[in-house]
Amino acid sequence: MKALTFRGIKTIAYETVSDPRIKNPGDVIVKVEQTAICGSDLHVYHGRESGLDEGTVMGHEFTGEIVDVGKAVKNLSKGDQVVSPFSTNCGQCYFCDIGLTARCTNGQLFGWVEGGMGLHGAQAELVRVPYADSTMVQIPEGIDSKHALLAGDTLSTGYFCAENAEIRPGGLYVVIGCGPVGLLTIMAAFEQGAQHIVAIDNVYDRLEMANQLGAVAWHLNENPILYILEKTHGIGAEAVMEAVGSPGAQDLAIKLVRPGGIISTVGVHTSHDFSFSPSDAYNLNLTFKIGRCPARYYMDILMPKLMDWRWDLDKIFSHELSLKEGPRAYEIFDRKEDSALKILLKP
Ligand code: NAD
Ligand code: ZN
């Protein structure tokens, strides 16, 4: 089959690799119908995450049709239209039981093979899905498969980010980063009752989209700290939702949050140090929440909500290209050329 593979820093290849086959009885094989590039793929692309084997098939956002089913699979059949979260989960361990599916003891991230171990990704014609019964979700009738794809990663992550911010009506909330995750965090925060959101980024098109969602868009270079302090009479934001994953964004978050407030971080951080010190955190009575979204858990909450979602999710998709154009798509996405926001690839 054809696939997009990691071949080194800023090098993605479109090449022929061997077809995945059923390996364990709980596996299914999915014929990928659409797959998207995520901000998390950029961490790999830039080599900020070390260890990925050359030749690893990239990607973890996808929908498709089941074309082969392992002997132990009970709930899925050939022909089912499905969407996956970005990692697999067994549905039986302690962490699956408490809803922290992203930390399943037996879970694997799609597109992550290290030292020959791991799971290939979905930017390909076919993908193998272990623990399919507990991992895959059938796309309900009436839900656009593109919207379902968002529920498998970025929308779940935005919802999780907003939930961790413990939103209450009235206060001022900040979202740092207006990529797909940040924009979906804004939608989720409004959905969860936020009334005033300031969204910060340095890309004008993205700020414009945040503005259209009802947030006050503020450019990173226009002193957001002064603006938030003025708006809150010197107190600071109730909570800051960070959807970037850089030391600079973390540093900004701590300067914007009020004493006793919350920083909710979903940006993937690869640094070994915090941008703030334990004493900064102590002096602010800070609550800091960070981590990988348990997307499978949130998919059950979000699928019914997608039936009448208030905001236009189609706007999140800026480009639709063929899988073959994948290497170029990564360049466009990385450079945010041509207002790239989320690129859908069709095998
Ligand atoms: P993206 O790269 O498209 O968006 C990031 C945005 O942040 C960009 O618009 C960029 O201009 C902006 N930005 C960069 N530095 C900034 C700064 N200092 N202040 C304000 N804005 C800044 O990525 P995305 O797809 O929206 O994903 C966002 C982050 O969420 C990534 O780190 C991604 O890996 C992570 N993520 C985490 C999870 C999870 O489970 N926690 C899931 C999906 C994505
Ligand atoms: Zn992702």
Side-chain angles (χ1 to χ4, degrees), residues 30-102:
V30 175
K31 178 171 172 283
V32 177
E33 281 168 4
Q34 54 189 353
T35 173
I37 307 179
C38 177
S40 299
D41 294 320
L42 284 186
H43 293 293
V44 174
Y45 186 70
H46 287 283
R48 287 194 288 261
E49 306 258 20
S50 57
L52 203 71
D53 289 359
E54 272 195 33
T56 300
V57 177
M58 297 287 294
H60 54 263
E61 299 185 1
F62 67 100
T63 67
E65 182 187 328
I66 294 185
V67 290
D68 202 0
V69 183
K71 285 198 176 71
V73 175
K74 292 193 184 80
N75 309 330
L76 301 161
S77 327
K78 278 187 199 175
D80 286 352
Q81 293 290 321
V82 286
V83 54
S84 178
F86 58 82
S87 63
T88 62
N89 62 99
C90 72
Q92 295 192 336
C93 71
Y94 174 79
F95 298 104
C96 284
D97 198 41
I98 63 166
L100 194 58
T101 52

Coordinates of all heavy atoms in Angstrom, one line a residue, residues 30-102:
V30 N -8.6 -1.2 8.8 CA -9.4 -0.1 8.3 C -8.9 0.4 7.0 O -7.7 0.7 6.9 CB -9.6 1.0 9.3 CG1 -10.4 2.2 8.7 CG2 -10.2 0.5 10.6
K31 N -9.8 0.5 6.0 CA -9.4 1.2 4.8 C -9.6 2.6 5.0 O -10.8 3.1 5.2 CB -10.3 0.6 3.6 CG -10.1 1.3 2.3 CD -10.9 0.5 1.2 CE -10.8 1.2 -0.1 NZ -11.7 2.4 -0.2
V32 N -8.6 3.4 5.0 CA -8.7 4.8 5.4 C -9.3 5.6 4.3 O -9.0 5.5 3.1 CB -7.2 5.4 5.7 CG1 -7.3 6.9 6.0 CG2 -6.6 4.6 6.8
E33 N -10.4 6.3 4.7 CA -11.1 7.2 3.7 C -10.6 8.6 3.8 O -10.6 9.3 2.8 CB -12.6 7.0 3.9 CG -13.0 5.7 3.2 CD -14.4 5.3 3.5 OE1 -15.2 6.0 4.2 OE2 -14.8 4.2 3.1
Q34 N -10.3 9.1 5.0 CA -9.7 10.4 5.1 C -8.8 10.4 6.3 O -9.1 9.7 7.3 CB -10.8 11.5 5.2 CG -11.8 11.2 6.3 CD -13.0 12.2 6.2 OE1 -13.0 13.1 5.5 NE2 -14.0 11.9 7.0
T35 N -7.8 11.2 6.3 CA -6.8 11.3 7.4 C -6.4 12.8 7.4 O -6.4 13.4 6.4 CB -5.7 10.3 7.2 OG1 -4.7 10.5 8.3 CG2 -5.0 10.4 5.9
A36 N -6.1 13.3 8.6 CA -5.7 14.7 8.7 C -4.3 14.8 9.3 O -3.9 13.9 10.1 CB -6.7 15.4 9.5
I37 N -3.7 16.0 9.1 CA -2.4 16.3 9.7 C -2.7 17.1 11.0 O -3.5 18.0 10.9 CB -1.5 17.1 8.8 CG1 -1.3 16.3 7.5 CG2 -0.1 17.3 9.5 CD1 -0.4 17.1 6.5
C38 N -2.1 16.8 12.1 CA -2.4 17.4 13.4 C -1.1 18.2 13.8 O 0.0 17.9 13.4 CB -2.6 16.3 14.4 SG -2.9 16.8 16.1
G39 N -1.4 19.2 14.7 CA -0.2 19.9 15.2 C 0.7 19.0 15.9 O 1.9 19.3 16.0
S40 N 0.2 17.9 16.4 CA 1.1 16.9 17.1 C 2.1 16.3 16.1 O 3.2 15.9 16.4 CB 0.3 15.8 17.8 OG -0.5 16.4 18.8
D41 N 1.6 16.1 14.8 CA 2.5 15.5 13.8 C 3.7 16.5 13.6 O 4.8 16.0 13.2 CB 1.8 15.3 12.5 CG 0.7 14.3 12.6 OD1 0.9 13.2 13.3 OD2 -0.4 14.5 12.0
L42 N 3.5 17.8 13.8 CA 4.6 18.8 13.6 C 5.7 18.6 14.6 O 6.8 18.8 14.3 CB 4.0 20.2 13.7 CG 3.3 20.7 12.5 CD1 2.9 22.2 12.7 CD2 4.0 20.5 11.2
H43 N 5.3 18.1 15.9 CA 6.4 17.9 16.9 C 7.3 16.8 16.3 O 8.6 16.9 16.4 CB 5.8 17.4 18.2 CG 5.0 18.5 18.9 ND1 5.6 19.7 19.4 CD2 3.7 18.6 19.2 CE1 4.6 20.4 20.0 NE2 3.5 19.8 19.8
V44 N 6.8 15.8 15.7 CA 7.6 14.7 15.1 C 8.3 15.2 13.9 O 9.6 15.0 13.8 CB 6.6 13.5 14.7 CG1 7.4 12.5 13.9 CG2 5.9 12.9 15.8
Y45 N 7.7 16.0 13.1 CA 8.3 16.5 11.9 C 9.5 17.4 12.2 O 10.5 17.3 11.5 CB 7.2 17.4 11.2 CG 7.5 18.0 9.9 CD1 7.6 17.2 8.7 CD2 7.6 19.4 9.7 CE1 7.8 17.8 7.5 CE2 7.9 19.9 8.5 CZ 7.9 19.1 7.3 OH 8.2 19.7 6.1
H46 N 9.4 18.1 13.3 CA 10.6 19.0 13.7 C 11.6 18.2 14.5 O 12.6 18.8 14.9 CB 10.1 20.2 14.4 CG 9.4 21.2 13.6 ND1 10.1 22.0 12.7 CD2 8.1 21.4 13.3 CE1 9.2 22.8 12.1 NE2 8.0 22.4 12.4
G47 N 11.3 17.0 14.8 CA 12.3 16.2 15.6 C 12.3 16.6 17.1 O 13.2 16.3 17.8
R48 N 11.2 17.3 17.5 CA 11.1 17.6 18.9 C 10.9 16.4 19.8 O 11.1 16.4 21.0 CB 10.1 18.7 19.2 CG 10.5 20.1 18.7 CD 9.6 21.2 19.2 NE 8.3 21.1 18.6 CZ 7.9 21.9 17.6 NH1 8.7 22.8 17.1 NH2 6.6 21.8 17.1
E49 N 10.2 15.4 19.2 CA 10.0 14.1 19.9 C 11.1 13.2 19.4 O 11.2 13.0 18.2 CB 8.7 13.5 19.5 CG 7.5 14.5 19.7 CD 6.7 14.2 21.0 OE1 7.3 13.5 21.8 OE2 5.6 14.6 21.0
S50 N 11.9 12.7 20.2 CA 13.0 11.9 19.7 C 12.6 10.4 19.7 O 11.6 10.0 20.2 CB 14.2 12.0 20.6 OG 13.9 11.7 21.9
G51 N 13.3 9.6 18.9 CA 13.2 8.2 19.0 C 12.3 7.5 17.9 O 12.4 6.3 17.8
L52 N 11.6 8.3 17.2 CA 10.7 7.6 16.2 C 11.6 7.0 15.1 O 12.5 7.5 14.6 CB 9.8 8.7 15.5 CG 8.5 8.2 14.9 CD1 7.5 7.8 15.9 CD2 7.9 9.3 14.0
D53 N 11.2 5.7 14.8 CA 12.0 5.0 13.8 C 11.8 5.6 12.4 O 10.6 5.9 12.0 CB 11.6 3.5 13.7 CG 12.0 2.7 14.9 OD1 12.7 3.3 15.8 OD2 11.7 1.5 15.0
E54 N 12.8 5.6 11.6 CA 12.6 6.0 10.2 C 11.7 4.9 9.5 O 11.9 3.7 9.8 CB 14.0 6.0 9.5 CG 14.6 7.4 9.6 CD 15.8 7.6 8.6 OE1 15.7 7.1 7.5 OE2 16.7 8.3 9.0
G55 N 10.8 5.4 8.7 CA 9.9 4.4 8.0 C 8.6 4.3 8.8 O 7.7 3.6 8.3
T56 N 8.5 4.9 9.9 CA 7.2 4.8 10.7 C 6.1 5.5 9.8 O 6.3 6.7 9.3 CB 7.3 5.6 12.0 OG1 8.3 4.9 12.8 CG2 6.0 5.6 12.8
V57 N 5.0 4.9 9.7 CA 3.8 5.5 9.0 C 3.3 6.6 9.9 O 3.0 6.3 11.1 CB 2.8 4.5 8.6 CG1 1.6 5.2 7.9 CG2 3.4 3.4 7.7
M58 N 3.1 7.8 9.4 CA 2.7 8.9 10.2 C 1.1 8.9 10.4 O 0.4 8.3 9.7 CB 3.0 10.2 9.5 CG 4.5 10.5 9.3 SD 5.4 10.9 10.8 CE 4.6 12.5 11.2
G59 N 0.7 9.7 11.3 CA -0.7 10.1 11.4 C -1.6 9.3 12.4 O -1.4 8.1 12.6
H60 N -2.5 10.0 13.0 CA -3.4 9.4 14.0 C -4.8 9.9 13.9 O -5.6 9.6 14.8 CB -2.8 9.7 15.4 CG -2.6 11.1 15.6 ND1 -1.4 11.7 15.5 CD2 -3.4 12.1 16.0 CE1 -1.5 13.0 15.7 NE2 -2.7 13.3 16.1
E61 N -5.2 10.7 12.9 CA -6.6 11.2 12.8 C -7.1 10.6 11.5 O -6.6 10.9 10.5 CB -6.6 12.8 12.7 CG -6.0 13.4 13.9 CD -6.1 15.0 13.9 OE1 -6.7 15.5 12.9 OE2 -5.6 15.6 14.9
F62 N -8.2 9.8 11.7 CA -8.7 9.1 10.5 C -10.1 8.6 10.7 O -10.5 8.3 11.8 CB -7.8 8.0 10.1 CG -7.7 6.8 11.0 CD1 -8.4 5.6 10.8 CD2 -6.9 6.8 12.1 CE1 -8.4 4.5 11.7 CE2 -6.8 5.8 13.0 CZ -7.6 4.6 12.8
T63 N -10.8 8.4 9.5 CA -12.0 7.7 9.5 C -11.9 6.7 8.3 O -11.1 6.9 7.4 CB -13.3 8.6 9.2 OG1 -13.2 9.1 7.9 CG2 -13.4 9.7 10.2
G64 N -12.7 5.7 8.3 CA -12.7 4.7 7.2 C -13.6 3.6 7.3 O -14.6 3.7 8.2
E65 N -13.4 2.6 6.5 CA -14.3 1.4 6.5 C -13.5 0.2 7.0 O -12.4 -0.1 6.5 CB -14.8 1.2 5.1 CG -15.8 0.1 4.9 CD -16.2 -0.2 3.5 OE1 -16.2 0.8 2.7 OE2 -16.4 -1.4 3.2
I66 N -14.2 -0.6 7.8 CA -13.5 -1.9 8.2 C -13.5 -2.9 7.1 O -14.5 -3.2 6.5 CB -14.2 -2.4 9.5 CG1 -14.0 -1.5 10.6 CG2 -13.7 -3.8 9.9 CD1 -14.6 -1.9 12.0
V67 N -12.3 -3.4 6.8 CA -12.2 -4.4 5.7 C -11.7 -5.8 6.2 O -11.8 -6.7 5.4 CB -11.3 -3.9 4.6 CG1 -11.9 -2.7 3.8 CG2 -9.9 -3.5 5.1
D68 N -11.3 -5.9 7.4 CA -10.9 -7.2 7.9 C -11.1 -7.1 9.4 O -10.8 -6.1 10.1 CB -9.4 -7.5 7.5 CG -9.2 -9.0 7.6 OD1 -10.2 -9.8 7.9 OD2 -8.1 -9.4 7.3
V69 N -11.5 -8.3 10.0 CA -11.8 -8.3 11.4 C -11.2 -9.6 12.1 O -11.3 -10.7 11.6 CB -13.4 -8.4 11.5 CG1 -13.8 -8.4 13.0 CG2 -14.1 -7.3 10.8
G70 N -10.5 -9.3 13.2 CA -9.9 -10.4 14.0 C -11.0 -11.3 14.6 O -12.1 -10.9 14.8
K71 N -10.6 -12.5 15.0 CA -11.6 -13.5 15.5 C -12.3 -13.1 16.8 O -13.4 -13.5 17.0 CB -10.8 -14.9 15.7 CG -10.5 -15.6 14.4 CD -10.2 -17.1 14.7 CE -10.0 -17.9 13.4 NZ -8.7 -17.5 12.8
A72 N -11.6 -12.3 17.6 CA -12.2 -12.0 18.9 C -13.0 -10.7 18.9 O -13.6 -10.4 19.9 CB -11.0 -11.8 20.0
V73 N -13.1 -10.1 17.7 CA -13.8 -8.8 17.7 C -15.3 -9.1 17.7 O -15.8 -9.9 16.9 CB -13.4 -8.0 16.4 CG1 -14.3 -6.8 16.2 CG2 -12.0 -7.6 16.4
K74 N -16.1 -8.4 18.6 CA -17.5 -8.7 18.8 C -18.4 -7.7 18.2 O -19.5 -7.9 17.7 CB -17.8 -8.9 20.3 CG -17.2 -10.1 20.9 CD -17.8 -10.4 22.3 CE -17.1 -11.5 23.0 NZ -15.8 -11.1 23.6
N75 N -18.0 -6.4 18.4 CA -18.9 -5.3 18.1 C -18.8 -4.7 16.7 O -19.6 -3.8 16.4 CB -18.7 -4.2 19.1 CG -18.8 -4.7 20.6 OD1 -19.4 -5.7 20.8 ND2 -18.0 -4.1 21.4
L76 N -17.8 -5.1 15.9 CA -17.6 -4.5 14.6 C -17.6 -5.5 13.5 O -17.2 -6.6 13.8 CB -16.2 -3.7 14.7 CG -16.1 -2.7 15.7 CD1 -14.6 -2.4 16.0 CD2 -16.8 -1.4 15.3
S77 N -18.0 -5.1 12.4 CA -18.0 -6.0 11.2 C -17.4 -5.3 10.0 O -17.4 -4.1 9.9 CB -19.4 -6.4 10.8 OG -20.2 -6.5 12.0
K78 N -17.1 -6.1 9.0 CA -16.7 -5.6 7.7 C -17.7 -4.6 7.2 O -18.9 -4.9 7.3 CB -16.5 -6.7 6.7 CG -15.1 -7.4 6.8 CD -15.0 -8.4 5.7 CE -13.9 -9.4 6.0 NZ -13.7 -10.4 5.1
G79 N -17.3 -3.5 6.6 CA -18.2 -2.6 6.0 C -18.6 -1.4 7.0 O -19.2 -0.4 6.6
D80 N -18.4 -1.6 8.3 CA -18.7 -0.5 9.3 C -17.9 0.7 9.0 O -16.7 0.7 8.7 CB -18.4 -0.9 10.7 CG -19.4 -2.0 11.2 OD1 -20.4 -2.2 10.5 OD2 -19.2 -2.5 12.3
Q81 N -18.6 1.9 9.1 CA -17.9 3.2 9.0 C -17.4 3.6 10.3 O -18.3 3.7 11.2 CB -18.8 4.2 8.4 CG -19.3 4.0 6.9 CD -18.1 4.2 6.0 OE1 -17.3 5.1 6.1 NE2 -18.0 3.4 5.0
V82 N -16.2 3.8 10.5 CA -15.6 4.0 11.9 C -14.7 5.3 11.9 O -14.2 5.7 11.0 CB -14.9 2.8 12.4 CG1 -15.8 1.7 12.7 CG2 -13.8 2.3 11.3
V83 N -14.5 5.7 13.2 CA -13.6 6.8 13.5 C -12.8 6.3 14.7 O -13.3 5.5 15.6 CB -14.3 8.1 13.8 CG1 -15.3 8.0 14.8 CG2 -13.3 9.2 14.1
S84 N -11.6 6.7 14.8 CA -10.7 6.3 15.9 C -10.2 7.4 16.7 O -10.0 8.5 16.2 CB -9.5 5.5 15.3 OG -8.7 5.1 16.3
P85 N -10.0 7.2 18.0 CA -9.2 8.2 18.8 C -7.8 8.1 18.4 O -7.4 7.1 17.7 CB -9.5 7.8 20.2 CG -9.8 6.4 20.2 CD -10.4 6.1 18.8
F86 N -6.9 9.0 18.8 CA -5.5 9.0 18.3 C -4.7 7.9 19.0 O -3.5 7.7 18.6 CB -4.9 10.3 18.4 CG -4.9 10.9 19.8 CD1 -3.9 10.6 20.7 CD2 -5.8 11.9 20.2 CE1 -3.9 11.2 22.0 CE2 -5.8 12.4 21.5 CZ -4.8 12.1 22.4
S87 N -5.2 7.3 20.1 CA -4.5 6.1 20.7 C -5.5 5.0 20.9 O -6.7 5.2 21.0 CB -3.8 6.6 21.9 OG -4.7 7.0 22.9
T88 N -5.0 3.8 21.0 CA -5.8 2.6 21.3 C -6.0 2.4 22.8 O -5.2 2.9 23.6 CB -5.2 1.3 20.7 OG1 -3.9 1.1 21.4 CG2 -4.9 1.5 19.2
N89 N -7.1 1.7 23.1 CA -7.3 1.4 24.6 C -8.0 0.1 24.7 O -8.9 -0.2 23.9 CB -8.0 2.6 25.3 CG -9.3 2.9 24.7 OD1 -10.3 2.5 25.3 ND2 -9.4 3.5 23.6
C90 N -7.6 -0.6 25.8 CA -8.1 -2.0 25.9 C -9.5 -2.1 26.5 O -10.1 -3.1 26.4 CB -7.1 -2.8 26.8 SG -7.1 -2.4 28.5
G91 N -9.9 -1.0 27.2 CA -11.3 -1.1 27.8 C -11.4 -1.9 29.1 O -12.5 -2.0 29.6
Q92 N -10.2 -2.4 29.6 CA -10.3 -3.3 30.7 C -9.4 -2.9 31.9 O -9.6 -3.4 33.0 CB -10.0 -4.7 30.3 CG -11.1 -5.2 29.3 CD -11.0 -6.6 29.0 OE1 -10.0 -7.3 29.1 NE2 -12.2 -7.2 28.6
C93 N -8.4 -2.1 31.6 CA -7.4 -1.8 32.7 C -8.0 -0.7 33.6 O -9.1 -0.2 33.4 CB -6.1 -1.3 32.1 SG -6.2 0.3 31.3
Y94 N -7.3 -0.5 34.7 CA -7.7 0.5 35.7 C -7.9 1.9 35.0 O -8.9 2.5 35.3 CB -6.6 0.7 36.7 CG -6.8 1.8 37.7 CD1 -7.7 1.6 38.8 CD2 -6.2 3.0 37.6 CE1 -8.0 2.7 39.6 CE2 -6.5 4.1 38.4 CZ -7.3 3.9 39.5 OH -7.6 4.9 40.3
F95 N -7.0 2.3 34.1 CA -7.2 3.6 33.5 C -8.3 3.8 32.6 O -9.0 4.8 32.5 CB -5.8 4.1 32.9 CG -4.7 4.1 33.9 CD1 -3.8 3.1 34.0 CD2 -4.7 5.2 34.8 CE1 -2.8 3.2 34.9 CE2 -3.7 5.2 35.8 CZ -2.8 4.2 35.8
C96 N -8.6 2.7 31.8 CA -9.8 2.7 31.0 C -11.0 2.8 31.8 O -12.0 3.5 31.5 CB -9.9 1.4 30.1 SG -8.7 1.5 28.7
D97 N -11.0 2.1 33.0 CA -12.1 2.0 33.9 C -12.5 3.4 34.4 O -13.6 3.8 34.6 CB -11.8 1.0 35.0 CG -13.1 0.6 35.7 OD1 -14.1 0.4 35.0 OD2 -13.0 0.6 37.0
I98 N -11.4 4.2 34.7 CA -11.7 5.5 35.3 C -11.9 6.6 34.2 O -11.9 7.8 34.5 CB -10.6 6.0 36.4 CG1 -9.3 6.1 35.7 CG2 -10.6 5.0 37.5 CD1 -8.3 6.8 36.6
G99 N -11.8 6.2 33.0 CA -12.0 7.2 31.9 C -10.8 7.9 31.4 O -10.8 8.8 30.6
L100 N -9.6 7.5 31.9 CA -8.3 8.1 31.5 C -7.8 7.2 30.4 O -6.7 6.6 30.5 CB -7.4 8.2 32.7 CG -6.1 9.1 32.4 CD1 -6.5 10.5 32.0 CD2 -5.3 9.1 33.7
T101 N -8.6 7.1 29.3 CA -8.2 6.1 28.2 C -6.9 6.4 27.6 O -6.3 5.5 27.0 CB -9.3 6.1 27.2 OG1 -9.6 7.5 26.8 CG2 -10.7 5.6 27.7
A102 N -6.4 7.6 27.6 CA -5.2 8.0 27.0 C -4.0 7.4 27.8 O -2.9 7.4 27.2 CB -5.0 9.5 27.0

